[in-house]
Amino acid sequence: MSEPPTENTDPDERGTRRRFSLRARVSLLAAFCVACAVALVSLGAYITVHRNLYVALDENLINRAEAAVESPAVQTRLQSIPGAFLVSSDIHIGLLTANGELIYPRAGTPPPWGERELSVATGIKESSLRTDSATDMRVIALPAGHGVAMVLAQSLQPTKQALNELALVLLFFGGAGILVAAAAGTAVARAGLRPVEKLTSATERVARTMDLRPIPVSGDDELARLTQSFNTMLRAVEESQDRQRRLVADAGHELRTPLTSLRTNLELLLAASRQGAPTLSERDRADIEADIRAQLDEVTQLIGDLSELSREDTTRDAAERVDLVEVVERALDRARRRTSTIEFDTELHPWVLAGDPHSLERAVLNLLDNAIKFSPEDSVVRVVLRPLGDGTAVIEVSDSGPGIAAEDLPMVFDRFYRSSEARTLPGSGLGLAIVKQAAERHRGTVYANNKSDGGALMAIRLPGIPG
């Protein structure tokens, strides 16, 4: 129980002071909590990026050093030099002999070397990897045979510059987040600090049970209006939780395939770089690296697509001209990278509309993924883009699988719905829901059916004009 106000203290003045003090404490607490969270997240992000950048730099330098050692020699008028000397514009490269003589490209800069590199040339050590503090370079040395060592050096300045820029970005947005948190804490404190027993008990119930049902409202006084405001907040929290759950589920569904493929390619490269392991040909390595770059681009695009997906009821401010044939062909290219046992039979007629090519590509790719998942090996998936003659065109994707049960047809495009046949297969039941959402954003429709000769047919119908 708080003590009653003294005779020398005005109750209104004391209450105002108390409310102001508590509001300030809430604001400071919110700012402090957000500051701690931002600091921890920023530190974790910086450490992770720092480690990954340096690991990637070392792996790249090791791969290039191994390739330089294995590169064939090029015969000049005066001497035979490694072919790697001709493609070393972004690194410093040279051959270090056992007697301390360094041979390097005439137009280049000699890499730094010391006792560790010399010990590799003399055969004392099998390899050397270090940071040269004098030149701020990462230096690697590998034996090249006949008493010489291949020495490569790469500057750390680009990596350090990237880390410095990351630190500035984290600092800027972290500070902005703290200011926003302080402002939000002040607003919440101002609106919520009214000690009314009924509302207090209701909020305690919500905190204790996480039951977000609206609080009953009676009357039309200030308490009723406050309760209505609190109910509005409860609905907003519930909608926010639903959006977060959907976004997490979408991310898991959409990112699983490219991340699995990335992991496989990276494990193959790492396995090939181990001592004693079979080496990859230059062509195979180049194909894998190109595939990794394409998959990274795909993951980046997926993250942007999922951010758009989280705003279900919004549309893009500016639609662009979309060639639907190009959209389908890009989706087919991505689908072909995901399977080697399925053939695609295509029939594409020109069609143009205004919209978002990324969300349409994602929708078509989801249809292709669905067809691949249910098609047996060495079967054919047919893709048709054709106008219907009524101002719309349809993209039809048909597979050679078991088809769709009659009771499942009305629900295949529902979010999280999975038929009994699909429950044992990978996926979260979101792919076709994303297709439906993309179609509706472009004033189109989706439908599913079974082919007369077996297999399922999924289609997107979109307005537009012939291309």
Side-chain angles (χ1 to χ4, degrees), residues 2 15-16 18-19 22-23 189-204 222-223 226:
S2 59
T16 303
R18 183 171 60 249
R19 289 196 298 272
L22 184 55
R23 184 185 309 132
R190 182 182 296 112
L193 292 178
R194 296 185 182 275
V196 179
E197 185 62 29
K198 181 179 178 180
L199 189 56
T200 300
S201 62
T203 56
E204 289 175 350
E222 183 178 3
L223 177 59
L226 181 59

Side-chain angles (χ1 to χ4, degrees), residues 141-420:
L142 294 178
H146 308 293
V148 297
M150 181 71 70
V151 182
L152 281 77
Q154 188 169 3
S155 175
L156 295 176
Q157 285 302 319
T159 302
K160 291 185 175 180
Q161 182 179 355
L163 290 173
N164 291 337
E165 292 175 355
L166 174 63
L168 289 176
V169 170
L170 292 175
L171 182 62
F172 174 80
F173 283 100
I178 293 172
L179 293 177
V180 171
T186 301
V188 171
R190 182 182 296 112
L193 292 178
R194 296 185 182 275
V196 179
E197 185 62 29
K198 181 179 178 180
L199 189 56
T200 300
S201 62
T203 56
E204 289 175 350
R205 174 182 60 81
V206 171
R208 184 177 62 256
T209 64
M210 293 303 296
D211 183 2
L212 300 180
R213 288 177 300 176
I215 301 170
V217 180
S218 60
D220 57 357
D221 55 6
E222 183 178 3
L223 177 59
R225 292 194 298 272
L226 181 59
T227 305
Q228 290 172 352
S229 299
F230 192 79
N231 287 338
T232 302
M233 185 184 69
L234 288 180
R235 287 192 294 269
V237 171
E238 187 174 16
E239 292 174 359
S240 176
Q241 289 180 346
D242 290 340
R243 287 195 299 269
Q244 289 174 359
R245 283 193 292 266
R246 288 194 294 267
L247 181 60
V248 171
D250 288 343
H253 173 74
E254 295 297 320
L255 296 175
R256 184 183 296 112
T257 299
L259 289 179
T260 301
S261 182
L262 271 174
R263 179 177 181 178
T264 301
N265 284 328
L266 289 174
E267 287 177 348
L268 181 59
L269 286 177
L270 291 174
S273 65
R274 295 191 182 100
Q275 187 175 4
T279 58
L280 294 171
S281 66
E282 290 297 325
R283 181 173 180 178
D284 290 340
R285 185 180 293 274
D287 290 343
I288 292 175
E289 290 175 353
D291 199 24
I292 289 176
R293 284 192 292 270
Q295 290 154 357
L296 287 174
D297 292 339
E298 182 176 350
V299 170
T300 302
Q301 183 62 54
L302 282 175
I303 293 173
D305 291 345
L306 288 169
S307 297
E308 291 295 323
L309 183 63
S310 65
R311 297 190 292 271
E312 294 183 353
D313 298 328
T314 62
T315 56
R316 290 180 175 267
D317 294 334
E320 57 183 280
R321 184 181 185 273
V322 180
D323 186 336
L324 211 52
V325 172
E326 294 181 358
V327 168
V328 175
E329 288 177 343
R330 287 198 301 269
L332 283 166
D333 289 340
R334 294 169 66 179
R336 290 188 179 101
R337 289 200 297 268
R338 299 180 178 184
T339 179
S340 59
T341 61
I342 303 295
E343 294 292 331
F344 294 93
D345 180 21
T346 62
E347 179 186 342
L348 307 179
H349 298 272
W351 193 257
V352 175
L353 70 156
D356 174 20
H358 302 299
S359 64
L360 289 173
E361 181 181 340
R362 168 55 47 199
V364 176
L365 182 60
N366 283 359
L367 292 182
L368 294 173
D369 285 342
N370 187 76
I372 292 170
K373 181 165 59 175
F374 289 100
S375 294
E377 293 187 359
D378 300 323
S379 62
V380 176
V381 170
R382 180 162 175 78
V383 182
V384 176
L385 167 58
R386 58 185 177 89
L388 299 179
D390 59 354
T392 64
V394 65
I395 304 172
E396 296 177 336
V397 178
S398 56
D399 59 46
S400 304
I404 306 171
E407 62 270 17
D408 292 327
L409 279 174
M411 297 175 288
V412 293
F413 290 100
D414 292 347
R415 190 180 289 269
F416 297 110
Y417 182 78
R418 305 188 72 190
S419 64
S420 57

